[in-house]
Amino acid sequence: MSADTIFGKIIRREIPADIVYEDELCLAFRDITPQAPTHVLVIPKKPIPKLADASAEDKELLGHMLLMVKSLAEQLGIAEDGYRVVINAGTDGGQTVFHLHMHLLGGRSLQWPPG
Ligand code: AMP
């Protein structure tokens, strides 16, 4: 069992979040420190700490999350102009909250490479 995180508290509604989508497997909410006009986090309800902890049994869940990102981009009006999907994986990847999440960023032209 992984350690609880702030995202676990959001899933259990112990702290507030601006939730934009929820289903039985996942939750999507706006990032509290947005790095783009649209910045949404998609998290699994299953507490997988980081991508390296995902396994073959999570295959369907990970695919579900990615398709959710695609749908959210359409719903939030950024699909046509384009957007970026980011997973910060582990400390050197810049991960700060150890509950797996996908960042959906859009609404402006994004630079490459990231820092
Ligand atoms: P990462 O650095 O990839 O682990 O991303 C963690 C993200 O969670 C950051 O972009 C934070 O701004 C965001 N974050 C942290 N706490 C909250 C919160 N309570 N509600 C929404 N987003 C949060």
Side-chain angles (χ1 to χ4, degrees), residues 3-114:
D4 193 25
T5 67
I6 198 147
F7 292 174
K9 294 187 198 319
I10 289 173
I11 291 168
R12 295 191 303 275
R13 306 298 202 270
E14 290 169 11
I15 59 168
D18 186 355
I19 293 170
V20 295
Y21 182 82
E22 179 172 24
D23 64 21
E24 70 284 2
L25 294 176
C26 297
L27 190 67
F29 51 93
R30 292 189 190 275
D31 197 293
I32 204 165
T33 312
Q35 302 301 316
T38 298
H39 187 173
V40 167
L41 302 174
V42 174
I43 69 171
K45 290 187 174 173
K46 178 179 175 181
I48 301 168
K50 57 187 185 302
L51 189 59
D53 299 311
S55 65
E57 73 175 29
D58 300 313
K59 193 162 128 182
E60 202 169 318
L61 174 61
L62 295 175
H64 180 78
M65 287 171 65
L66 205 46
L67 289 174
M68 187 197 289
V69 167
K70 178 199 144 167
S71 300
L72 281 168
E74 290 164 2
Q75 186 186 309
L76 297 170
I78 57 172
E80 198 173 333
D81 286 344
Y83 51 89
R84 187 170 295 166
V85 184
V86 174
I87 299 176
N88 294 328
T91 307
D92 274 5
Q95 186 172 2
T96 57
V97 178
F98 284 82
H99 182 123
L100 177 65
H101 49 283
M102 295 179 181
H103 295 256
L104 168 61
L105 296 143
R108 68 172 170 85
S109 182
L110 299 162
Q111 303 302 305
W112 190 265

